[in-house]
Amino acid sequence: MATVTVHGAVGSSPSRLPGARGGGPVPLRPSFESRRELLDLLRRYALYAETARVLDERAGRCTSPHLAAVLRERAAARRRAAERVLAELLREGATVVPRRPPGPGGSARGR
């Protein structure tokens, strides 16, 4: 799994930041529609990736080999869909930051 960061988008509009004095180009801020489209893509990516993870977990706990195979096939289909959405996000200017694996004691949250 990766973290996706959106820095800007094609068709961005200039941002009028107070205190930004001349000397360089005006920073670009994505338009409302561009941000909304990117957010929709991020949601779809997260949905497909999480669904694939859950299906894999269920397949691992399943006692029926046939059902486990079906669940793994569905998980693979969701991962492929997530990869297509991720490719679209990258075309729109998103940056992918690989996640760090949890430390030896598990998750570092709340510590």
Side-chain angles (χ1 to χ4, degrees):
M1 176 80 60
T3 301
V4 180
T5 307
V6 179
H7 291 289
V10 177
S12 297
S13 60
S15 175
R16 304 287 179 211
L17 299 174
R21 295 186 222 194
V26 176
L28 296 178
R29 188 175 86 195
S31 69
F32 178 77
E33 276 304 310
S34 293
R35 290 185 307 226
R36 184 178 205 133
E37 289 170 12
L38 287 172
L39 183 57
D40 287 343
L41 286 171
L42 284 168
R43 286 180 179 149
R44 280 195 355 218
Y45 174 75
L47 176 69
Y48 287 135
E50 179 65 12
T51 303
R53 187 191 64 75
V54 169
L55 288 168
D56 273 333
E57 278 183 12
R58 286 186 182 176
R61 293 189 314 253
C62 190
T63 57
S64 166
H66 176 71
L67 182 56
V70 169
L71 291 171
R72 284 190 183 98
E73 277 181 35
R74 290 180 179 178
R78 296 313 185 285
R79 276 192 294 280
R80 287 190 300 272
E83 288 171 6
R84 287 191 299 269
V85 173
L86 182 59
E88 179 67 23
L89 280 165
L90 293 173
R91 279 193 296 275
E92 294 294 327
T95 304
V96 176
V97 180
R99 270 189 163 173
R100 291 184 190 167
S107 176
R109 271 193 182 165
R111 291 183 193 183

